[in-house]
């Protein structure tokens, strides 16, 4: 009996988490957080797929710790009760499709679709894998129609190989094609355009993201991205 007890190994200890940033202590980001969350005229509503809450490298929690006017909802689609009571002009970030064109972020002001310089704006962001995000937007079209304008980041190209939030060969989360970025970076780039002090807000968010990358990269092994596979229809055309 004593031998059996002695041979039992102790249960593995769970990693200690920082009580402020909720990150493991070796990659704590408290030193990069602003002293207080940044106020923005824009209200940010993030619809996060339930599966993303299990992903340790999800950047949405970092947004809520950095921006004062951000709200995160765990859902597979946007529902009307998720929207604020106050009717605000709204945009949602998502690449264009043949049936749903999008206004490029750099062209948002010239289109005169939204008077975001003088009135508050609601920014809706869908957070999930590329597959999940497409499903979420499709399921939300009934609410989005007539409420929000689809806007995309500049440089979206489905024929280009996607990148990651890393600037080197260490890959964290591979993006499906060029122009797709992490949720935090997408929000940062959008606020950089629509906020009165957008350059400052974007700088804080991107700096925060780069520090996360720097810390996390010390725990990843170098790897080469897989080559992009051609679709079956593309193979047939080539043949």
């Amino acid at each position: 009996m004593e031998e059996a007890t002695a041979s039992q190994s102790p249960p593995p200890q769970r990693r200690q988490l920082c009580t402020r940033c909720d990150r493991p202590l070796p990659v704590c980001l408290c030193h990069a957080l602003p002293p207080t969350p940044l106020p923005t005229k824009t209200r940010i509503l993030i619809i996060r797929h339930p599966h993303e809450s299990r992903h340790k490298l999800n950047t949405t929690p970092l947004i809520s710790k950095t921006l004062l006017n951000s709200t995160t909802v765990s859902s597979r689609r946007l529902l009307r009760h998720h929207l604020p009571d106050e009717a605000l002009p709204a945009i949602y970030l998502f690449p264009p499709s043949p049936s749903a064109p999008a206004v490029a972020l750099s062209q948002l002001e010239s289109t005169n679709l939204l008077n975001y310089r003088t009135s508050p704006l609601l920014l809706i962001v869908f957070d999930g894998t590329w597959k999940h995000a497409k499903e979420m937007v499709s399921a939300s079209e009934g609410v989005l129609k007539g409420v929000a304008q689809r806007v995309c980041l500049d440089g979206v190209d489905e024929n280009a190989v996607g990148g990651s939030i890393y600037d080197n060969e260490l890959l964290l989360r591979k993006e499906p094609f060029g122009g797709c970025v992490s949720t935090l970076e997408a929000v940062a780039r959008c606020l950089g355009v629509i906020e009165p002090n957008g350059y400052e807000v974007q700088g804080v968010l991107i700096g925060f993201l780069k520090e996360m990358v720097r810390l996390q990269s010390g725990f990843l092994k170098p790897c080469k991205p897989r080559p992009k596979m051609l679709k079956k229809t593309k193979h047939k055309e080539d043949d």
Side-chain angles (χ1 to χ4, degrees):
M1 186 70 177
E2 293 179 358
E3 292 181 359
T5 304
S7 63
Q8 292 180 354
S9 58
Q13 293 184 348
R14 299 190 64 179
R15 293 183 300 175
Q16 288 186 308
L17 301 180
C18 174
T19 56
R20 185 186 177 201
C21 69
D22 298 325
R23 301 274 297 166
L25 292 181
V27 289
C28 173
L29 286 168
C30 287
H31 62 281
L33 283 171
T36 57
L38 302 176
T40 57
K41 189 167 68 172
T42 305
R43 297 182 63 173
I44 301 102
L45 173 61
I46 302 175
I47 308 300
R48 184 171 68 167
H49 193 280
H51 289 181
E52 285 297 301
S53 62
R54 309 170 194 169
H55 204 295
K56 302 302 182 183
L57 299 176
N58 181 261
T59 58
T60 291
L62 306 180
I63 298 175
S64 61
K65 296 179 184 300
T66 310
L67 300 178
L68 183 63
N69 295 328
S70 65
T71 302
T72 301
V73 177
S74 180
S75 177
R76 295 176 184 267
R77 60 175 176 165
L78 173 68
L79 301 175
R80 292 198 179 275
H81 71 264
H82 294 153
L83 299 173
D85 296 332
E86 180 185 1
L88 297 174
I91 61 175
Y92 70 101
L93 284 174
F94 205 72
S97 67
S99 60
V103 176
L105 188 59
S106 61
Q107 299 175 350
L108 187 60
E109 186 173 15
S110 61
T111 58
N112 294 321
L113 289 172
L114 299 168
N115 191 18
Y116 62 85
R117 294 296 185 188
T118 57
S119 61
L121 184 67
L122 175 65
L123 170 61
I124 303 171
V125 183
F126 293 91
D127 180 33
T129 63
W130 177 237
K131 178 179 180 294
H132 286 156
K134 288 196 293 186
E135 294 172 352
M136 293 164 72
V137 170
S138 178
S140 306
E141 286 180 350
V143 178
L144 292 169
K145 187 176 181 180
V147 173
Q149 167 69 47
R150 182 181 288 204
V151 173
C152 68
L153 300 178
D154 295 272
V156 174
D157 183 1
E158 293 195 35
N159 296 316
V161 177
S164 73
I165 69 170
Y166 281 99
D167 294 326
N168 54 34
E169 73 278 7
L170 294 164
L171 300 182
L172 177 59
R173 301 189 73 177
K174 188 72 169 59
E175 304 297 348
F177 50 79
C180 292
V181 296
S182 69
T183 301
L184 192 153
E185 184 175 349
V187 170
R189 289 170 60 178
C190 190
L191 294 180
V193 173
I194 63 179
E195 277 292 301
N197 60 334
Y199 184 80
E200 176 186 350
V201 174
Q202 180 177 345
V204 171
L205 290 174
I206 295 299
F208 191 38
L209 181 60
K210 286 184 175 181
E211 180 63 7
M212 173 186 170
V213 168
R214 185 188 71 82
L215 292 173
Q216 199 68 40
S217 63
F219 296 89
L220 295 180
K221 296 179 180 180
C223 64
K224 294 182 179 181
R226 292 178 296 178
K228 185 171 182 177
M229 303 300 291
L230 295 176
K231 296 180 180 179
K232 291 183 179 180
T233 54
K234 181 64 176 176
H235 280 300
K236 293 179 180 179
E237 290 176 1
D238 292 341
D239 294 341

